[in-house]
Amino acid sequence: MAENLFIDPNATKEEKYISLLVQIEALIDNENDITANLANIASALYFGMNFFWVGFYEVKNEQLVLAPFHGPIACTRIAYGKGVCGTAWKKQQTILVPDVEQFPGHIACSSASKSEIVVPIFVNNAVKYVLDVDSEKLNDFSNIDEKYLEQLVKIISKNIEIQYI
Ligand code: SME
């Protein structure tokens, strides 16, 4: 397992994602503990991409419950269909929010968060987690983030599904 993350600070956002994804795959390869892997991925994304908050929520009994994350403390439970996270779960699709104040029902865990992207993580065709990334800047996410975060969650799904077989 690689023990250090290396991201060129002068690289473009896309180059950073490409490099990060390769390193994350190596990081979780041969490790089957889901909590350990999600914790390392949250840290890798947080430091690699300089986001304000990166974390996972797990689907547990019709609610999302806070799982490994990096950044300030956050809301622990989110109901189905509520907030950006609950909406991504319900719609089973990525939700990109350029300005959180314009998203009806947005749940503000921190007033510093200005834009957000939430990507559902499928395990055996059902949403099992969501990945939530927050930025202190307005309009900080684009189709680049969507593309690479969706690739990342496929890597995570594969890692988890292997353990369900
Ligand atoms: N803003 C999210 C809640 C989670 S925090 O941002 C960490 C939402 O509206 O679902």
Side-chain angles (χ1 to χ4, degrees):
M1 188 200 91
E3 288 180 8
N4 289 309
L5 193 65
F6 178 76
I7 299 292
D8 178 357
N10 300 315
T12 64
K13 195 175 209 187
E14 186 159 27
E15 288 166 344
K16 285 181 184 171
Y17 270 122
I18 291 168
S19 165
L20 198 58
L21 261 56
V22 172
Q23 294 180 72
I24 286 175
E25 268 196 286
L27 194 62
I28 67 174
D29 193 33
N30 296 323
E31 176 51 66
N32 66 6
D33 189 284
I34 296 168
T35 306
N37 285 341
L38 295 183
N40 258 343
I41 292 167
S43 173
L45 263 181
Y46 179 92
F47 286 107
M49 303 303 292
N50 286 315
F51 290 129
F52 172 70
W53 194 90
V54 178
F56 298 91
Y57 281 89
E58 182 176 0
V59 173
K60 280 187 178 172
N61 303 324
E62 299 309 306
Q63 282 189 322
L64 290 171
V65 182
L66 187 62
F69 72 94
H70 219 93
I73 59 167
C75 325
T76 48
R77 290 176 188 269
I78 298 173
Y80 182 72
K82 300 293 179 194
V84 187
C85 292
T87 305
W89 174 21
K90 184 176 178 180
K91 292 194 168 171
Q92 308 204 3
Q93 66 186 45
T94 299
I95 311 270
L96 200 159
V97 183
D99 177 356
V100 295
E101 288 189 8
Q102 304 303 317
F103 187 92
H106 167 258
I107 300 164
C109 294
S110 164
S111 58
S113 173
K114 299 279 188 286
S115 57
E116 177 165 3
I117 184 168
V118 179
V119 186
I121 304 176
F122 294 85
V123 175
N124 297 330
N125 301 317
V127 178
K128 178 66 180 157
Y129 295 89
V130 299
L131 165 62
D132 181 12
V133 183
D134 289 31
S135 171
E136 285 179 298
K137 296 177 218 143
L138 274 174
N139 210 5
D140 202 22
F141 301 104
S142 68
N143 58 345
I144 300 273
D145 300 273
E146 188 169 342
K147 175 179 172 185
Y148 289 101
L149 293 176
E150 286 183 353
Q151 281 186 21
L152 171 63
V153 303
K154 287 205 178 87
I155 295 169
I156 297 171
S157 298
K158 214 170 75 187
N159 178 272
I160 298 173
E161 280 172 359
I162 286 169
Q163 298 161 51
Y164 277 60
I165 293 167

